[in-house]
Amino acid sequence: MTPQDASQRNAELCQRAPVVPVLVINDASKARPLAEALVAGGLPALEVTLRTPQALDAISEMAKVEGGVVGAGTLLTPNDVKAAKAAGALFGVSPGATDALLQACEDEDMPLLPGVATASEAMRLLERGYTTQKFFPAEANGGAPALKAIGAPIPQVKFCPTGGISMKNVNDYLKLSNTLCVGGSWVAPADLVEKSDWSAIEELAREAASLTV
């Protein structure tokens, strides 16, 4: 897969809904009903972070949900890419980007949304062909004003900002011309997942899906 193909597929993915849920799953038995609730609420693209021992099993369960597109977040190494793809992930997300990680995703036909924090990083990825990128950690890096400033001289790149985004500030990002969607964990709070309150999560997803880009 070329970087251009990866960027095109990720752009299409980001345009399915204004929010991509960022999920840290500690119990794989809850993965499928969680995915069903989020998809039913209008958020089909799901990012499961590889931060827990249950993550790969959770991806496998979520991959069975009709209408959902599950990806793996926190990809750090080529081995992460191979494991995520074997588990059923259809796209990848990383906090940053290394040559080894980029090459692994290209070799494995895994569309990658690579993370950047600076204009130089965005330019380097653009030079390689990645026109769809992740701005991370968004709030810690100056928030929407910083992303707007970075985007002004690099209009070729579109972003999915992630990190510290909630319903309180999401519209600040979505109104930017260089933002395709945002990543957020607020649509699946840990307490609601723990209680298996899928109806409440579906409602949060529906609220997020109604946002305008």
Side-chain angles (χ1 to χ4, degrees), residues 23 25 31-32 34-35 46 48 58-65 70:
L23 309 169
I25 299 178
R32 186 163 183 170
L34 172 59
L46 312 171
V48 178
I59 288 172
S60 295
E61 287 301 306
M62 287 188 167
K64 302 173 185 176
V65 176
V70 63

Side-chain angles (χ1 to χ4, degrees), residues 5-210:
D5 289 338
S7 289
Q8 179 60 36
R9 285 174 59 176
N10 278 325
E12 293 168 355
L13 189 72
C14 287
Q15 290 166 343
R16 292 191 179 204
V19 178
V20 175
V22 179
L23 309 169
V24 180
I25 299 178
N26 294 296
D27 183 354
S29 69
K30 296 181 182 292
R32 186 163 183 170
L34 172 59
E36 289 170 344
L38 292 167
V39 172
L43 302 181
L46 312 171
E47 176 191 340
V48 178
T49 63
L50 299 187
R51 300 182 189 179
T52 71
Q54 296 286 305
L56 292 173
D57 289 337
I59 288 172
S60 295
E61 287 301 306
M62 287 188 167
K64 302 173 185 176
V65 176
E66 185 176 355
V69 182
V70 63
T74 323
L75 294 180
L76 302 178
T77 69
N79 285 339
D80 289 341
V81 176
K82 293 178 180 179
K85 184 172 183 180
L90 297 179
F91 66 95
V93 185
S94 61
T98 66
D99 289 335
L101 181 65
L102 294 170
Q103 191 62 56
C105 287
E106 292 162 13
D107 290 345
E108 293 288 335
D109 287 330
M110 171 77 77
L112 178 69
L113 190 64
V116 303
T118 67
S120 292
E121 292 170 351
M123 289 170 62
R124 178 177 175 275
L125 283 167
L126 176 62
E127 189 175 76
R128 186 161 175 148
Y130 287 89
T131 55
T132 305
Q133 303 174 14
K134 167 184 170 179
F135 182 58
F136 175 83
E139 282 293 285
N141 277 323
L147 183 55
K148 180 179 180 180
I150 288 174
I154 316 174
Q156 304 95 321
V157 179
K158 304 299 181 184
F159 294 92
C160 171
T162 302
I165 300 176
S166 68
M167 282 299 291
K168 294 180 181 179
N169 59 10
V170 64
N171 285 316
D172 295 337
Y173 291 93
L174 292 179
K175 70 182 181 183
L176 299 179
S177 61
N178 63 340
T179 296
L180 292 175
C181 65
V182 304
S185 59
W186 83 88
V187 293
D191 60 331
L192 294 183
V193 174
E194 180 65 26
K195 293 186 294 185
S196 299
D197 192 344
W198 310 127
S199 61
I201 289 175
E202 182 178 337
E203 185 56 37
L204 288 174
R206 187 169 288 110
E207 181 184 26
S210 69

